[in-house]
Amino acid sequence: MYRKTISPLWLVFFFLLPQLSSAEDLVSEKQSSEIFQESVEIEGDSLETLLDRKMKAKGNAILKKGNKTIKAEVIEYDQISEKLITQGNTSIDLEKISLSGTKLNYRLSDQTGKMEDVTFNIKPDKKEETIVQKGIQVTKRYYDFRGDAKAIFFEGENKTKLESSRLTTCEVDSNDWYIKSKNMEIDTKKDQVKASHASLDFKGVPIFYMPSTSFSLNKNRQSGFLSSTFGTTSKSGFEFRVPYYFNISPNMDATLTARYLGKRGPLADGEFRYLTENYSGINQLQYMNHDQSSGQDNRYFLKLNHQHQFGRGWSGSYDLQKVSDNTYFSDLATMIQVTSVVNLPQRVNLNYSGDIWKLNLLTEKYQTLTNASNSPYQRLPQVNLSGKKDYDNFILDLKSQWTLFERDDKFASTFTDAEKITGSRFAMTPAITVPLTSEYGYIKPKVSANIRSYNLNNSSDNNKDIVTPIFSLDSGVYLDRNINFLNQNYTNTLEPRLFYVYIPYKDQSVLPNFDSGLADLNMQTLFYENQYNGQDRINDANQLTASLTSKFLDKNGKERLSAIIAQRYYFEDRRIFGNDLIEAKKANSDIFMGASAKLPNSLNLDAMFQFDPTSNSLLRSTLGSRYNPEPGKMLNVSYRLIDNIIDNNQDLEVFNAAGQWPLGNRFYSIGRYNYDLKSSQTIEVLAGLEYDGGCWVARSIFDRISLPTSPNPNYAFFIQLELNGIGSIGSDANKLNNFLYRNVPGLRNVNQIPDVNRQANFN
């Protein structure tokens, strides 16, 4: 093997200059490193010198310059023009792209030239990483691109033009899909591929033609057409979407989508997003000029959302949403989280948060899409002021609120006399707490007063005032011990807690009810002073809540098993609930019990019960299990029972099962079944199938959902072909993923599953 290093002639001449000064010595040392970077190293089994300017290497010939390496059977290099010509099998390694072909003409000085019968490979800038998404660890991948071309033209640093080329992310010897183009340009510096007269071939069949397209090698944002999507629903028929993406700036973009719904006609959908250090927002507008199915004109949906940090503790936001008609979502939307919307907010906020004081200014109204029973009061406006100050021996706390309540005029004729009452309400609750704490427990006495003042319209008594004193005492003890169970060491804790509340009875029957409702009594609300939400009702109380919690912690401090039992004891009947209500005369509350277990075999169990000892009946139970032995294998099963003693219409008994499981031969199943046992009615059925093609994924999803805004269920079918590194064809990827994450919590799509688990499902 022979080797020779060639330096540019002008640099050799520079080396021969006399050294004039120490300063010039420094310059020479600095530039000498550049000389070696610009040097050309050529080697081969034999070397020849032609006309004192050309070098010819034969047999295992290699030429190196900087980050470029060229290998061939024969390399002929001209030192003056810096041109080289190769013969036989040739490969060239550039910074981000490697190429192999039969013949190369290349000029090193300006990185221009041509290579014939080429295969190439492009490495991504980013590496595979593990991220947390929706609370689940998933694998985020970046893919190698490879392809071939009849010829490649080098047009400068990082720029190549390909003639009659193909591009894919599939493994070598696997051409399941590729983009085929007559003319393609690759700019590895700009991270961009442009192709004209291109077609997408899948399994050897052209399935999509693109007059012009562009995409990123590293999933970076850039303007251009996104993958078209399609699907079908029972109400709108076949749907086809063509989105165009505008990369306006690094912190601003927009998407304009042309949608066509088979039963209804064309619809325009636009979205504008922006994000800066201090503010962000999303604006969306959908518009349909004429609905061919319903005959309605000018159907639209508008959403304006903005959050702003002004600094010095001040922030603000607005969320403004409006649709043209009540059935817009049930007719035109495809996702349940949209089709089931009942109230659209129109809300503006201004907030201040300091070390002591917090202020919130709010104006809020809703567009109600059903009937008056679902129409909440409008807050035009509402002011919240709260403050909290910790002193050495006590804590001062103040909560206050002033609200002007109005009604939606659209439902004025259907409101009852009580529902027609409007006006303002001022509520304030000052409090003082004296906490006594130690390592083994605490005692926290608290004294407060709820003050309310009303100025009403449409009421027989326009002005009403009421003051309610409140006393509570919270206490608890922490106990623990070390135990050995099944040859494993655990820390076992025992945590008793007592919570006493006294509130004298105040007649509130003449007061309006703008925003109060009786909260469900559960493990959390047992330790609330007031069982009502909102500000219009304060229950009377002379009661004690007792609970006992026990936990088992392993040697790493991880909670493996926990259990709790709690009950409230009443020393007086609760008059605020009404004298004829049996629940108000009970001496004891229901018994609440809960337990959870995190077993070593990836099985988690949870249970919660509410038992009425008076009637010896179970009023509430929640049973849940989650089995997740590895990524891609997951099963959730749950059962919920609610026997609502206040309103039987709120009774609930629901069974739910959801999961994802590999079936072998590269197939994965996805499913959910949600059934209402009370009405013997199916709420939702979802069934899906995914196929892992290695460099592509195909998925199809069927969904049936019963909607609160429609008497008939809606059916939807989604189909999607995901091409790794490029994008997806079929249903919108982001919307479909969000839809699946909501229905099957913990789900990972195929490309988010680690390779070791994916490969186990190939056979």
Side-chain angles (χ1 to χ4, degrees):
M1 176 69 72
Y2 296 89
R3 177 181 301 167
K4 186 172 182 179
T5 300
I6 306 168
S7 299
L9 294 180
W10 70 271
L11 287 176
V12 174
F13 175 75
F14 179 83
F15 259 142
L16 298 176
L17 289 176
Q19 299 179 3
L20 300 178
S21 67
S22 60
E24 291 177 352
D25 289 344
L26 295 176
V27 174
S28 299
E29 290 176 7
K30 178 180 179 181
Q31 291 178 331
S32 67
S33 64
E34 297 175 357
I35 292 172
F36 290 110
Q37 291 177 6
E38 294 297 327
S39 298
V40 175
E41 185 178 287
I42 185 169
E43 62 182 68
D45 294 340
S46 66
L47 292 177
E48 299 179 22
T49 302
L50 306 173
L51 302 175
D52 294 328
R53 60 177 285 178
K54 292 185 178 180
M55 293 294 299
K56 190 172 185 178
K58 294 183 178 180
N60 299 312
I62 301 175
L63 185 145
K64 296 180 180 179
K65 181 182 180 182
N67 57 11
K68 305 174 189 64
T69 301
I70 300 169
K71 299 179 181 179
E73 295 177 11
V74 178
I75 298 177
E76 185 176 311
Y77 175 64
D78 189 320
Q79 303 176 51
I80 304 300
S81 64
E82 294 194 63
K83 289 183 178 179
L84 64 90
I85 299 174
T86 70
Q87 299 175 21
N89 294 329
T90 302
S91 66
I92 176 170
D93 291 333
L94 304 177
E95 185 176 0
K96 298 179 181 179
I97 183 171
S98 301
L99 309 99
S100 298
T102 57
K103 185 178 180 182
L104 172 66
N105 286 275
Y106 192 75
R107 186 196 298 269
L108 292 173
S109 57
D110 57 8
Q111 303 182 48
T112 59
K114 178 183 177 182
M115 194 175 193
E116 298 178 353
D117 299 324
V118 184
T119 61
F120 59 89
N121 183 273
I122 305 173
K123 295 286 186 180
D125 291 337
K126 303 175 182 178
K127 296 183 179 180
E128 181 179 298
E129 57 184 329
T130 300
I131 62 174
V132 177
Q133 181 175 292
K134 307 289 184 180
I136 302 297
Q137 281 193 345
V138 299
T139 301
K140 187 174 183 180
R141 289 185 168 87
Y142 300 92
Y143 300 94
D144 291 0
F145 285 83
R146 68 170 187 87
D148 52 55
K150 181 179 180 182
I152 286 185
F153 298 89
F154 301 93
E155 299 186 336
E157 185 178 7
N158 301 310
K159 294 181 181 179
T160 54
K161 181 178 289 185
L162 290 70
E163 181 182 287
S164 300
S165 60
R166 300 188 303 175
L167 184 70
T168 184
T169 58
C170 293
E171 297 290 335
V172 178
D173 300 327
S174 174
N175 291 320
D176 285 356
W177 70 266
Y178 51 81
I179 294 177
K180 186 176 181 181
S181 173
K182 292 184 178 180
N183 298 295
M184 184 180 294
E185 297 178 11
I186 299 177
D187 190 327
T188 55
K189 185 175 182 179
K190 292 183 177 179
D191 181 39
Q192 188 178 61
V193 177
K194 293 182 179 180
S196 59
H197 302 291
S199 65
L200 174 62
D201 289 18
F202 182 72
K203 293 293 185 178
V205 179
I207 61 173
F208 199 73
Y209 174 74
M210 298 167 284
S212 177
T213 186
S214 64
F215 55 89
S216 165
L217 296 168
N218 292 288
K219 301 182 181 180
N220 293 323
R221 297 163 38 197
Q222 61 180 30
S223 298
F225 283 101
L226 303 178
S227 301
S228 301
T229 62
F230 56 84
T232 181
T233 65
S234 57
K235 291 196 172 185
S236 294
F238 179 79
E239 179 180 350
F240 184 67
R241 303 186 185 203
V242 180
Y244 188 88
Y245 179 78
F246 298 89
N247 185 23
I248 302 172
S249 68
N251 64 340
M252 189 179 299
D253 63 12
T255 305
L256 183 62
T257 303
R259 293 173 58 186
Y260 183 80
L261 293 82
K263 294 182 179 180
R264 300 183 183 276
L267 181 148
D269 188 347
E271 182 183 72
F272 172 64
R273 305 186 304 175
Y274 51 92
L275 173 65
T276 71
E277 182 179 356
N278 296 320
Y279 61 86
S280 62
I282 300 177
N283 299 328
Q284 184 180 4
L285 174 63
Q286 297 177 356
Y287 179 76
M288 174 177 280
N289 183 56
H290 176 72
D291 188 331
Q292 298 172 1
S293 177
S294 67
Q296 295 173 275
D297 293 330
N298 300 321
R299 304 192 77 180
Y300 66 87
F301 165 56
L302 175 66
K303 180 179 180 180
L304 306 175
N305 188 282
H306 180 86
Q307 296 85 37
H308 206 122
Q309 297 291 333
F310 300 108
R312 297 182 180 273
W314 289 93
S315 64
S317 67
Y318 60 75
D319 183 6
L320 307 174
Q321 300 183 39
K322 185 174 176 60
V323 290
S324 56
D325 55 89
N326 292 349
T327 59
Y328 182 90
F329 290 129
S330 59
D331 286 347
L332 301 176
T334 56
M335 300 300 176
I336 176 59
Q337 62 264 40
V338 179
T339 56
S340 58
V341 169
V342 173
N343 288 299
L344 288 177
Q346 297 167 8
R347 179 186 304 119
V348 179
N349 269 295
L350 179 64
N351 305 295
Y352 170 78
S353 180
D355 294 335
I356 298 176
W357 295 101
K358 290 179 172 56
L359 175 68
N360 169 254
L361 306 177
L362 167 71
T363 176
E364 178 184 72
K365 59 188 299 187
Y366 291 90
Q367 180 184 3
T368 301
L369 306 184
T370 54
N371 51 45
S373 62
N374 291 316
S375 177
Y377 272 96
Q378 301 172 351
R379 303 168 188 262
L380 304 172
Q382 177 173 287
V383 181
N384 289 284
L385 177 65
S386 63
K388 186 176 182 180
K389 176 67 173 177
D390 289 4
Y391 292 92
D392 292 338
N393 299 316
F394 61 93
I395 301 172
L396 293 181
D397 189 7
L398 173 68
K399 294 181 176 66
S400 63
Q401 181 186 94
W402 180 86
T403 310
L404 178 61
F405 293 97
E406 298 290 348
R407 274 298 195 183
D408 189 343
D409 294 336
K410 181 174 68 173
F411 300 111
S413 60
T414 60
F415 286 134
T416 64
D417 290 341
E419 293 172 336
K420 291 179 180 179
I421 297 177
T422 60
S424 65
R425 180 194 67 202
F426 174 75
M428 180 174 66
T429 306
I432 181 172
T433 304
V434 183
L436 305 173
T437 61
S438 69
E439 294 181 355
Y440 54 83
Y442 62 90
I443 299 176
K444 297 180 181 179
K446 177 182 176 182
V447 178
S448 61
N450 179 267
I451 305 168
R452 284 168 286 166
S453 179
Y454 294 84
N455 188 357
L456 305 175
N457 303 315
N458 305 321
S459 174
S460 57
D461 189 356
N462 294 334
N463 298 298
K464 298 180 176 67
D465 301 300
I466 188 170
V467 178
T468 306
I470 302 171
F471 171 76
S472 66
L473 179 66
D474 195 6
S475 61
V477 176
Y478 307 117
L479 305 171
D480 65 77
R481 62 172 179 167
N482 296 323
I483 64 170
N484 185 280
F485 180 69
L486 297 177
N487 295 322
Q488 296 290 327
N489 293 322
Y490 294 93
T491 299
N492 176 215
T493 69
L494 194 64
E495 304 169 25
R497 181 182 180 185
L498 295 175
F499 181 66
Y500 174 77
V501 179
Y502 177 77
I503 304 174
Y505 170 73
K506 297 286 184 177
D507 185 4
Q508 300 162 71
S509 59
V510 296
L511 299 179
N513 190 351
F514 293 126
D515 62 2
S516 287
L518 188 63
D520 287 334
L521 195 61
N522 54 48
M523 200 68 75
Q524 287 73 41
T525 59
L526 274 173
F527 297 94
Y528 289 177
E529 294 175 337
N530 185 24
Q531 198 175 329
Y532 282 96
N533 297 315
Q535 298 286 343
D536 292 308
R537 294 293 183 269
I538 302 291
N539 60 244
D540 55 310
N542 185 6
Q543 62 198 33
L544 177 69
T545 301
S547 72
L548 185 64
T549 303
S550 182
K551 300 176 182 177
F552 286 82
L553 311 176
D554 65 16
K555 61 182 180 180
N556 298 317
K558 185 176 182 180
E559 183 181 303
R560 288 296 183 179
L561 180 67
S562 67
I564 184 172
I565 184 169
Q567 188 176 24
R568 179 181 288 175
Y569 303 92
Y570 301 104
F571 304 116
E572 296 178 3
D573 293 344
R574 278 118 332 118
R575 299 170 60 188
I576 187 65
F577 297 120
N579 293 328
D580 57 344
L581 187 64
I582 298 177
E583 182 70 17
K585 297 182 178 297
K586 287 184 177 180
N588 304 323
S589 75
D590 302 328
I591 299 174
F592 294 84
M593 297 169 287
S596 65
K598 296 178 177 64
L599 304 180
N601 59 356
S602 302
L603 177 64
N604 293 346
L605 302 174
D606 294 283
M608 190 68 68
F609 302 98
Q610 179 179 345
F611 178 76
D612 182 2
T614 304
S615 61
N616 199 30
S617 61
L618 192 64
L619 300 183
R620 180 183 303 231
S621 64
T622 301
L623 301 174
S625 64
R626 175 184 173 87
Y627 182 57
N628 189 193
E630 63 183 53
K633 290 184 177 180
M634 184 269 300
L635 182 63
N636 295 329
V637 178
S638 64
Y639 168 82
R640 289 183 65 201
L641 167 70
I642 298 177
D643 185 1
N644 195 302
I645 61 172
I646 305 299
D647 184 359
N648 291 333
N649 293 324
Q650 299 298 320
D651 287 355
L652 180 70
E653 189 176 8
V654 175
F655 171 80
N656 184 76
Q660 173 188 33
W661 205 264
L663 303 176
N665 293 320
R666 298 176 179 261
F667 283 97
Y668 289 83
S669 61
I670 301 172
R672 183 193 181 193
Y673 182 69
N674 192 235
Y675 186 76
D676 187 344
L677 296 166
K678 178 186 174 184
S679 61
S680 299
Q681 179 182 359
T682 299
I683 301 173
E684 184 170 13
V685 174
L686 182 149
L689 198 64
E690 286 187 306
Y691 181 81
D692 182 0
C695 61
W696 57 274
V697 178
R699 56 179 61 92
S700 59
I701 307 294
F702 167 81
D703 184 61
R704 176 198 180 276
I705 181 73
S706 298
L707 304 172
T709 55
S710 174
N712 299 317
N714 188 31
Y715 296 86
F717 182 71
F718 309 97
I719 186 169
Q720 185 185 80
L721 176 64
E722 182 179 350
L723 307 176
N724 296 351
I726 298 293
S728 59
I729 300 172
S731 301
D732 183 276
N734 290 330
K735 292 183 178 179
L736 181 57
N737 285 339
N738 290 333
F739 171 73
L740 292 175
Y741 296 151
R742 185 196 67 83
N743 277 280
V744 189
L747 174 138
R748 295 173 172 91
N749 65 46
V750 168
N751 281 323
Q752 294 174 339
I753 299 173
D755 287 336
V756 63
N757 303 108
R758 291 176 64 179
Q759 291 170 2
N761 190 44
F762 281 1
N763 299 318

